[in-house]
Amino acid sequence: MINKLPTLTAVLFVSTALIMLSGCSEEDPFEKLTSIDTVETPVSEGSAGGGLLPDLSHEENLGNEQVGQNITLEEITQDTGIDFTYRNGRDAGNNSILESLGGGVAVLDYDLNGTLDLFFPGGGKYEGTEKQKITGLPGALYSNQGDTQFEDVAKLSYTDLQSLYTHGCQVGDFDNDGFPDFVLTGWDGLLLFHNQGDGTFLEIHEPAGLDNSLWSSSGAWADYNGDGFLDLYVCNYVNWSFDNHPYCDAPTPSQREICPPKEFEPLPDNIYYSNGDGTFYNAREFANLTNLGKGLGVMSADYDLDGDVDIYVANDTVANFLYVNDGTGQFEERGTLHSVAFDGLGNSNGSMGIDVGDYNLDGKPDIWVANYEQEAFALYRNDGQAMFTYVSDRTGVTSLGGLFVGFGSLYYDFDYDGDEDILVTNGHVINYPRSGRLLQLPVLLVNEKNESNNYRKMVRKKFDDHGYMATGHMGRGLALGDLDDDGDADFIFSNNVEPAAIVENTTEQTGINVRVKLIGRSTNRDGVGSILTLKTSAGDFVRLTRGGASYLSQSDPRMYWSLPADTSINSLVIQWPDGQTQEIDNIPTDQALTVIQATN
């Protein structure tokens, strides 16, 4: 699913890169990944690569048991009361690309009782025989009763509508009333659930002006034009329908395969700006959006640290987008110019899951992208002013091999060493992959530093306990949140036609946990677009509040830090989206901190 390179310049670049790579040593790349002591000084910029992957055919045996030895993750789904499976209608036998996207999961405290609740989009099905109707299945809102015990309240809360075949859920307080609302993306439409503040929701996408009638995948809330209200970016995918449903061959004549995205034209994304009264208008022309994407993932954050919110879009088989904001809500697409459109060989990838973090602790936000099989996952290092370098090769990411089809992704410090690790959930999208691996393992990449040269490698942790992390799944959505309120984040996996899973973080808390929730006053109430810097004796640790990220999913909006036990915290500095800077002393580590924006 890799496209041809777009220009002769790109072809020459690839040829040069291949010549340079052919002269490299023939060390086992996985050995380099799993032995941090062998990491050498970074290679030159010209030898960055993204398309030459090792043949690691037995991926279940790979990983390093020595890294992250303190990390333990235990599935507790059956003890939580959560029993939910995303359905995609595959039993009808249509073998459509619609069935491949799957669904996500959202973390929110919808009733403001201090515990984190969960919402799962329901997916959909087909009705009829010849020209079938596409219809929805109800989602599930699980209310956290405490002690990680959940109750399905979808009917009681009026969130169980079946009018839309759904994929993603994005949470945002769009009217700044203090109660989290959420939007559902899906087949040829959107749903907007307005939180009434009494435990119920009202679906209002039509009166609110969210008139997107295309096949939407992901969305991202953020205040793009700086007026204090959340706006909404909507990724639209491809132009599949039953009127455009080609037959794609499988390995044998009696089999039919799901057609790849290259068989379909892209659909244009939309961006909706708030009118400030709970309604929206489509501002895609004003915002200068391009029509060339096949969007699956989107993430809004301040990548160039200039005080306004930019947008990164993960596209399927075409170039990824980086929209740089001029401060007024107008954007310039600079993905190619800023080196985040393609991989290290100039190829466009099948990109799905994304997140932003600071893997090398230099204070600049780095972008992570999970891609399709036979394509390396992408780690883009931010070198300042949102200019990036592709570093998957030199950080060991390419040594994962090409078996994974990556979806939900997130940064989190699992091992209390101060730097962020990366978790990815994986699963195939077609019926008959060459690898034969429909179900795939989740991957945890532990961020390790070579003390001799201060260089970093992402080292895959091996799980051998036969638990969730050591078994294959049809992974799609992934989100985090402290479900049991014990200080560290837990993880929620949404799978395609497979039960969702709750994985508790049972790692011994040998260090310090910090959790921070923002409440804006002159800015949007969620504080999306803020930059938080935790100043400590071990250095400064930066987090960005963001809209979207992962895949079709929404994590807890609180920011998380895990630090070594001997770290002393000096202060927390918050740069709000309107430019105001606020510094907080006396940061608690035994409970979550809520920071209300100070008045000027």
Side-chain angles (χ1 to χ4, degrees), residues 7 64 67 71 132 212 303 344 380 431 442 472 486 497 514 567 594:
T7 64
N64 190 333
V67 298
I71 300 173
Q132 295 183 333
N212 190 82
Y303 301 111
Y380 299 101
N431 296 327
D486 67 348
V497 200
V514 176
T567 305
T594 297

Side-chain angles (χ1 to χ4, degrees), residues 91-321:
D91 52 321
N94 289 315
N95 296 294
S96 78
I97 192 173
L98 177 64
E99 300 160 27
S100 66
L101 264 63
V105 58
V107 180
L108 71 164
D109 180 8
Y110 81 95
D111 51 5
L112 302 186
N113 69 348
T115 61
L116 295 178
D117 313 302
L118 303 175
F119 185 87
F120 293 93
K125 60 182 179 179
Y126 309 99
E127 292 181 348
T129 54
E130 294 183 2
K131 191 171 182 180
Q132 295 183 333
K133 177 183 178 182
I134 299 170
T135 187
L137 290 171
L141 178 61
Y142 283 96
S143 175
N144 191 338
Q145 306 298 300
D147 296 326
T148 327
Q149 297 298 304
F150 291 86
E151 178 184 353
D152 187 353
V153 295
K155 289 185 178 180
L156 293 174
S157 60
Y158 305 112
T159 57
D160 60 339
L161 295 187
Q162 304 182 49
S163 58
L164 184 73
Y165 185 123
T166 53
H167 295 302
C169 182
Q170 299 297 326
V171 180
D173 183 4
F174 72 87
D175 57 354
N176 290 336
D177 67 351
F179 291 91
D181 315 296
F182 63 86
V183 66
L184 297 184
T185 59
W187 171 253
D188 284 3
L190 298 171
L191 296 175
L192 178 62
F193 287 90
H194 183 215
N195 194 330
Q196 302 297 291
D198 60 358
T200 67
F201 289 78
L202 183 65
E203 201 290 304
I204 60 165
H205 81 278
E206 287 189 359
L210 295 183
D211 58 358
N212 190 82
S213 60
L214 303 175
W215 180 11
S216 57
S217 55
S218 292
W221 293 102
D223 180 8
Y224 299 114
N225 57 3
D227 65 355
F229 291 91
L230 289 179
D231 312 306
L232 179 66
Y233 188 101
V234 178
C235 280
N236 292 314
Y237 191 39
V238 298
N239 71 338
W240 175 88
S241 69
F242 278 121
D243 292 328
N244 183 26
H245 184 41
Y247 187 97
C248 289
D249 293 326
T252 69
S254 63
Q255 299 169 328
R256 182 177 182 178
E257 188 54 276
I258 293 174
C259 290
K262 66 182 180 181
E263 296 289 333
F264 307 98
E265 294 299 314
L267 293 174
D269 295 346
N270 281 317
I271 191 166
Y272 293 91
Y273 283 3
S274 173
N275 290 311
D277 60 359
T279 66
F280 299 85
Y281 65 96
N282 195 330
R284 71 173 324 277
E285 292 188 7
F286 172 80
N288 300 315
L289 300 190
T290 177
N291 293 332
L292 302 178
K294 298 179 180 181
L296 285 179
V298 59
M299 176 172 59
S300 299
D302 187 359
Y303 301 111
D304 51 8
L305 305 179
D306 68 347
D308 53 41
V309 182
D310 313 301
I311 305 170
Y312 185 74
V313 181
N315 289 312
D316 197 356
T317 71
V318 296
N320 294 337
F321 300 148

Side-chain angles (χ1 to χ4, degrees), residues 291-438:
N291 293 332
L292 302 178
K294 298 179 180 181
L296 285 179
V298 59
M299 176 172 59
S300 299
D302 187 359
Y303 301 111
D304 51 8
L305 305 179
D306 68 347
D308 53 41
V309 182
D310 313 301
I311 305 170
Y312 185 74
V313 181
N315 289 312
D316 197 356
T317 71
V318 296
N320 294 337
F321 300 148
L322 176 63
Y323 287 108
V324 177
N325 196 335
D326 70 356
T328 69
Q330 290 187 298
F331 297 89
E332 182 179 352
E333 201 289 294
R334 299 182 187 172
T336 300
L337 179 65
H338 287 226
S339 302
V340 289
F342 306 106
D343 64 19
L345 292 181
N347 293 317
S348 55
N349 296 146
S351 299
M352 278 85 71
I354 51 179
D355 202 9
V356 62
D358 181 15
Y359 86 94
N360 58 352
L361 301 181
D362 66 353
K364 296 184 284 290
D366 310 304
I367 293 175
W368 167 266
V369 183
N371 292 320
Y372 193 70
E373 68 179 1
Q374 297 306 311
E375 299 169 349
F377 293 170
L379 181 57
Y380 299 101
R381 185 188 67 211
N382 192 332
D383 297 322
Q385 297 182 325
M387 299 297 294
F388 293 84
T389 299
Y390 179 90
V391 294
S392 291
D393 52 351
R394 68 199 66 184
T395 54
V397 174
T398 53
S399 297
L400 285 172
L403 286 177
F404 295 109
V405 179
F407 284 95
S409 300
L410 53 84
Y411 279 92
Y412 181 76
D413 184 1
F414 287 83
D415 55 358
Y416 289 96
D417 65 352
D419 54 39
E420 292 176 283
D421 313 300
I422 297 173
L423 178 64
V424 186
T425 183
N426 305 288
H428 226 294
V429 296
I430 61 176
N431 296 327
Y432 308 102
R434 286 183 298 172
S435 66
R437 297 173 184 271
L438 290 170

Side-chain angles (χ1 to χ4, degrees), residues 423-461:
L423 178 64
V424 186
T425 183
N426 305 288
H428 226 294
V429 296
I430 61 176
N431 296 327
Y432 308 102
R434 286 183 298 172
S435 66
R437 297 173 184 271
L438 290 170
L439 306 181
Q440 300 185 356
L441 300 181
V443 168
L444 175 57
L445 296 175
V446 180
N447 190 344
E448 294 284 280
K449 183 173 71 172
N450 187 328
E451 296 297 340
S452 65
N453 60 16
N454 202 35
Y455 199 63
R456 292 184 175 274
K457 279 286 190 181
M458 292 294 177
V459 185
R460 181 180 174 191
K461 177 174 174 55

Side-chain angles (χ1 to χ4, degrees), residues 71-88:
I71 300 173
T72 58
L73 302 174
E74 178 183 356
E75 184 182 359
I76 60 169
T77 314
Q78 63 182 2
D79 301 323
T80 64
I82 291 176
D83 182 12
F84 181 81
T85 299
Y86 179 91
R87 304 290 181 183
N88 65 358

